[in-house]
Short mmCIF file of all heavy atoms in Angstrom, two decimals:
data_model
loop_
_atom_site.label_atom_id
_atom_site.label_comp_id
_atom_site.label_asym_id
_atom_site.label_seq_id
_atom_site.Cartn_x
_atom_site.Cartn_y
_atom_site.Cartn_z
N VAL A 1 -0.58 -1.01 23.41
CA VAL A 1 -1.92 -0.54 23.76
C VAL A 1 -2.08 -0.63 25.27
O VAL A 1 -2.23 -1.72 25.83
CB VAL A 1 -3.01 -1.36 23.04
CG1 VAL A 1 -4.40 -0.89 23.47
CG2 VAL A 1 -2.84 -1.26 21.53
N CYS A 2 -2.02 0.51 25.94
CA CYS A 2 -2.12 0.58 27.40
C CYS A 2 -3.25 1.53 27.75
O CYS A 2 -3.02 2.66 28.20
CB CYS A 2 -0.78 1.03 27.98
SG CYS A 2 -0.72 1.03 29.77
N THR A 3 -4.46 1.09 27.52
CA THR A 3 -5.66 1.94 27.59
C THR A 3 -6.77 1.17 28.32
O THR A 3 -6.61 -0.01 28.65
CB THR A 3 -6.12 2.30 26.17
OG1 THR A 3 -6.32 1.07 25.43
CG2 THR A 3 -5.11 3.17 25.45
N PRO A 4 -7.93 1.80 28.58
CA PRO A 4 -9.03 1.08 29.21
C PRO A 4 -9.49 -0.14 28.41
O PRO A 4 -9.34 -0.21 27.19
CB PRO A 4 -10.13 2.15 29.29
CG PRO A 4 -9.39 3.44 29.35
CD PRO A 4 -8.20 3.25 28.46
N THR A 5 -10.05 -1.11 29.13
CA THR A 5 -10.36 -2.43 28.58
C THR A 5 -11.15 -2.38 27.28
O THR A 5 -10.82 -3.09 26.32
CB THR A 5 -11.15 -3.25 29.63
OG1 THR A 5 -10.30 -3.45 30.77
CG2 THR A 5 -11.57 -4.59 29.08
N ALA A 6 -12.19 -1.57 27.22
CA ALA A 6 -13.07 -1.58 26.05
C ALA A 6 -12.37 -1.14 24.77
O ALA A 6 -12.86 -1.40 23.67
CB ALA A 6 -14.29 -0.69 26.31
N THR A 7 -11.21 -0.49 24.90
CA THR A 7 -10.50 0.02 23.72
C THR A 7 -9.41 -0.93 23.22
O THR A 7 -8.83 -0.70 22.16
CB THR A 7 -9.86 1.38 24.02
OG1 THR A 7 -8.84 1.21 25.02
CG2 THR A 7 -10.89 2.37 24.52
N HIS A 8 -9.10 -1.98 23.97
CA HIS A 8 -7.97 -2.85 23.61
C HIS A 8 -8.14 -3.45 22.22
O HIS A 8 -7.20 -3.41 21.40
CB HIS A 8 -7.81 -3.98 24.63
CG HIS A 8 -7.39 -3.53 25.98
ND1 HIS A 8 -7.41 -4.36 27.09
CD2 HIS A 8 -6.95 -2.32 26.43
CE1 HIS A 8 -7.00 -3.69 28.14
NE2 HIS A 8 -6.72 -2.45 27.78
N LEU A 9 -9.30 -4.03 21.95
CA LEU A 9 -9.49 -4.72 20.68
C LEU A 9 -9.48 -3.77 19.49
O LEU A 9 -8.72 -4.00 18.54
CB LEU A 9 -10.77 -5.56 20.69
CG LEU A 9 -11.01 -6.36 19.41
CD1 LEU A 9 -9.96 -7.43 19.24
CD2 LEU A 9 -12.41 -6.97 19.41
N PRO A 10 -10.28 -2.70 19.48
CA PRO A 10 -10.27 -1.84 18.29
C PRO A 10 -8.92 -1.20 18.02
O PRO A 10 -8.50 -1.10 16.86
CB PRO A 10 -11.35 -0.79 18.59
CG PRO A 10 -11.62 -0.87 20.05
CD PRO A 10 -11.33 -2.27 20.45
N LEU A 11 -8.21 -0.78 19.06
CA LEU A 11 -6.89 -0.19 18.85
C LEU A 11 -5.91 -1.24 18.32
O LEU A 11 -5.09 -0.95 17.44
CB LEU A 11 -6.37 0.42 20.15
CG LEU A 11 -7.11 1.67 20.65
CD1 LEU A 11 -6.58 2.08 22.03
CD2 LEU A 11 -6.98 2.83 19.67
N SER A 12 -5.98 -2.45 18.86
CA SER A 12 -5.09 -3.51 18.39
C SER A 12 -5.38 -3.88 16.94
O SER A 12 -4.46 -4.10 16.14
CB SER A 12 -5.24 -4.75 19.28
OG SER A 12 -4.80 -4.49 20.60
N LEU A 13 -6.65 -3.92 16.57
CA LEU A 13 -7.01 -4.24 15.18
C LEU A 13 -6.51 -3.15 14.23
O LEU A 13 -6.04 -3.46 13.12
CB LEU A 13 -8.52 -4.42 15.05
CG LEU A 13 -9.11 -5.67 15.70
CD1 LEU A 13 -10.63 -5.68 15.56
CD2 LEU A 13 -8.51 -6.94 15.10
N ASP A 14 -6.60 -1.90 14.65
CA ASP A 14 -6.08 -0.81 13.82
C ASP A 14 -4.57 -0.96 13.62
O ASP A 14 -4.04 -0.73 12.53
CB ASP A 14 -6.39 0.54 14.45
CG ASP A 14 -7.84 0.95 14.28
OD1 ASP A 14 -8.58 0.26 13.55
OD2 ASP A 14 -8.24 1.97 14.90
N ALA A 15 -3.86 -1.33 14.70
CA ALA A 15 -2.41 -1.50 14.60
C ALA A 15 -2.06 -2.67 13.69
O ALA A 15 -1.13 -2.58 12.87
CB ALA A 15 -1.82 -1.71 15.99
N ILE A 16 -2.79 -3.76 13.80
CA ILE A 16 -2.56 -4.92 12.94
C ILE A 16 -2.77 -4.54 11.48
O ILE A 16 -1.96 -4.87 10.60
CB ILE A 16 -3.47 -6.09 13.35
CG1 ILE A 16 -3.03 -6.66 14.70
CG2 ILE A 16 -3.47 -7.19 12.28
CD1 ILE A 16 -4.03 -7.63 15.32
N ALA A 17 -3.87 -3.84 11.22
CA ALA A 17 -4.17 -3.43 9.84
C ALA A 17 -3.07 -2.53 9.28
O ALA A 17 -2.82 -2.54 8.07
CB ALA A 17 -5.52 -2.71 9.80
N ALA A 18 -2.41 -1.78 10.16
CA ALA A 18 -1.32 -0.91 9.73
C ALA A 18 0.01 -1.64 9.60
O ALA A 18 1.03 -1.02 9.27
CB ALA A 18 -1.18 0.26 10.70
N GLY A 19 0.00 -2.94 9.87
CA GLY A 19 1.21 -3.74 9.73
C GLY A 19 2.19 -3.60 10.88
O GLY A 19 3.40 -3.83 10.71
N LYS A 20 1.68 -3.26 12.07
CA LYS A 20 2.55 -3.09 13.23
C LYS A 20 2.46 -4.32 14.14
O LYS A 20 1.39 -4.92 14.29
CB LYS A 20 2.13 -1.86 14.05
CG LYS A 20 1.88 -0.60 13.26
CD LYS A 20 3.12 -0.03 12.63
CE LYS A 20 2.85 1.35 12.01
NZ LYS A 20 4.03 1.88 11.29
N HIS A 21 3.57 -4.68 14.77
CA HIS A 21 3.52 -5.63 15.88
C HIS A 21 2.75 -4.96 17.02
O HIS A 21 2.77 -3.74 17.16
CB HIS A 21 4.92 -6.00 16.34
CG HIS A 21 5.80 -6.52 15.24
ND1 HIS A 21 5.56 -7.69 14.57
CD2 HIS A 21 6.94 -6.00 14.69
CE1 HIS A 21 6.50 -7.89 13.66
NE2 HIS A 21 7.34 -6.87 13.70
N VAL A 22 2.08 -5.79 17.84
CA VAL A 22 1.21 -5.20 18.87
C VAL A 22 1.39 -5.90 20.21
O VAL A 22 1.35 -7.13 20.30
CB VAL A 22 -0.29 -5.31 18.50
CG1 VAL A 22 -1.13 -4.45 19.45
CG2 VAL A 22 -0.54 -4.91 17.07
N LEU A 23 1.57 -5.10 21.25
CA LEU A 23 1.45 -5.57 22.63
C LEU A 23 0.22 -4.88 23.22
O LEU A 23 0.13 -3.65 23.20
CB LEU A 23 2.69 -5.20 23.44
CG LEU A 23 2.84 -5.78 24.85
CD1 LEU A 23 4.29 -5.70 25.30
CD2 LEU A 23 1.96 -5.10 25.89
N SER A 24 -0.73 -5.67 23.70
CA SER A 24 -1.95 -5.10 24.29
C SER A 24 -2.09 -5.52 25.74
O SER A 24 -1.79 -6.66 26.10
CB SER A 24 -3.19 -5.55 23.52
OG SER A 24 -4.38 -5.12 24.19
N GLU A 25 -2.56 -4.59 26.55
CA GLU A 25 -2.98 -4.97 27.89
C GLU A 25 -4.12 -5.99 27.79
O GLU A 25 -4.84 -6.05 26.79
CB GLU A 25 -3.43 -3.75 28.70
CG GLU A 25 -2.33 -3.14 29.53
CD GLU A 25 -1.75 -4.11 30.55
OE1 GLU A 25 -2.50 -4.95 31.11
OE2 GLU A 25 -0.53 -4.05 30.78
N LYS A 26 -4.27 -6.77 28.86
CA LYS A 26 -5.36 -7.75 28.88
C LYS A 26 -6.58 -7.13 29.55
O LYS A 26 -6.45 -6.15 30.31
CB LYS A 26 -4.91 -9.04 29.57
CG LYS A 26 -4.49 -8.85 31.04
CD LYS A 26 -5.66 -8.92 31.96
CE LYS A 26 -5.36 -8.41 33.35
NZ LYS A 26 -6.52 -8.23 34.18
N PRO A 27 -7.78 -7.67 29.30
CA PRO A 27 -8.08 -8.67 28.28
C PRO A 27 -8.16 -8.02 26.91
O PRO A 27 -8.49 -6.83 26.80
CB PRO A 27 -9.44 -9.21 28.71
CG PRO A 27 -10.12 -8.03 29.34
CD PRO A 27 -9.01 -7.27 30.04
N LEU A 28 -7.87 -8.80 25.87
CA LEU A 28 -8.02 -8.26 24.52
C LEU A 28 -9.49 -7.98 24.25
O LEU A 28 -9.84 -6.98 23.63
CB LEU A 28 -7.47 -9.25 23.50
CG LEU A 28 -7.40 -8.78 22.06
CD1 LEU A 28 -6.52 -7.55 21.93
CD2 LEU A 28 -6.90 -9.90 21.16
N HIS A 29 -10.35 -8.87 24.74
CA HIS A 29 -11.80 -8.68 24.65
C HIS A 29 -12.42 -9.55 25.72
O HIS A 29 -11.83 -10.55 26.14
CB HIS A 29 -12.33 -9.06 23.27
CG HIS A 29 -13.70 -8.53 22.99
ND1 HIS A 29 -14.84 -9.18 23.40
CD2 HIS A 29 -14.11 -7.40 22.36
CE1 HIS A 29 -15.90 -8.49 23.02
NE2 HIS A 29 -15.48 -7.39 22.39
N THR A 30 -13.60 -9.18 26.19
CA THR A 30 -14.26 -9.95 27.23
C THR A 30 -15.10 -11.09 26.66
O THR A 30 -15.81 -11.76 27.41
CB THR A 30 -15.14 -9.04 28.11
OG1 THR A 30 -16.02 -8.27 27.27
CG2 THR A 30 -14.28 -8.09 28.93
N ASP A 31 -15.00 -11.34 25.38
CA ASP A 31 -15.54 -12.53 24.73
C ASP A 31 -14.41 -13.18 23.96
O ASP A 31 -13.55 -12.49 23.39
CB ASP A 31 -16.70 -12.21 23.78
CG ASP A 31 -17.95 -11.76 24.52
OD1 ASP A 31 -18.29 -12.39 25.53
OD2 ASP A 31 -18.55 -10.76 24.09
N ALA A 32 -14.41 -14.50 23.89
CA ALA A 32 -13.30 -15.21 23.26
C ALA A 32 -13.29 -15.04 21.74
O ALA A 32 -12.22 -14.90 21.14
CB ALA A 32 -13.35 -16.69 23.63
N ALA A 33 -14.46 -15.07 21.10
CA ALA A 33 -14.51 -15.09 19.64
C ALA A 33 -13.80 -13.90 18.99
O ALA A 33 -12.99 -14.08 18.07
CB ALA A 33 -15.95 -15.19 19.15
N PRO A 34 -14.04 -12.66 19.43
CA PRO A 34 -13.31 -11.53 18.82
C PRO A 34 -11.81 -11.61 19.05
O PRO A 34 -11.02 -11.15 18.21
CB PRO A 34 -13.92 -10.31 19.51
CG PRO A 34 -15.25 -10.75 20.00
CD PRO A 34 -15.06 -12.18 20.39
N ALA A 35 -11.39 -12.19 20.19
CA ALA A 35 -9.96 -12.32 20.45
C ALA A 35 -9.33 -13.34 19.50
O ALA A 35 -8.23 -13.13 18.99
CB ALA A 35 -9.73 -12.73 21.91
N PHE A 36 -10.01 -14.46 19.26
CA PHE A 36 -9.52 -15.44 18.28
C PHE A 36 -9.43 -14.80 16.90
O PHE A 36 -8.49 -15.05 16.14
CB PHE A 36 -10.43 -16.66 18.24
CG PHE A 36 -10.19 -17.66 19.33
CD1 PHE A 36 -11.19 -17.96 20.25
CD2 PHE A 36 -8.97 -18.30 19.45
CE1 PHE A 36 -10.97 -18.89 21.26
CE2 PHE A 36 -8.74 -19.23 20.47
CZ PHE A 36 -9.75 -19.52 21.37
N ASP A 37 -10.41 -13.96 16.55
CA ASP A 37 -10.41 -13.30 15.25
C ASP A 37 -9.20 -12.36 15.12
O ASP A 37 -8.56 -12.31 14.07
CB ASP A 37 -11.71 -12.52 15.06
CG ASP A 37 -11.73 -11.76 13.74
OD1 ASP A 37 -11.72 -12.43 12.68
OD2 ASP A 37 -11.74 -10.52 13.75
N ALA A 38 -8.89 -11.64 16.19
CA ALA A 38 -7.73 -10.74 16.16
C ALA A 38 -6.44 -11.53 15.98
O ALA A 38 -5.54 -11.11 15.24
CB ALA A 38 -7.68 -9.91 17.44
N ALA A 39 -6.35 -12.68 16.65
CA ALA A 39 -5.15 -13.52 16.49
C ALA A 39 -5.02 -14.00 15.04
O ALA A 39 -3.91 -14.01 14.48
CB ALA A 39 -5.24 -14.72 17.43
#
């Protein structure tokens, strides 16, 4: 995921749901809680 910041989390979550390994640009999210949830 090499896209603008606001798209990192939703795109990463879609990839996770599809069973793919994911490399995302930082930040995953500008709040910690959604990032912990993605992990």
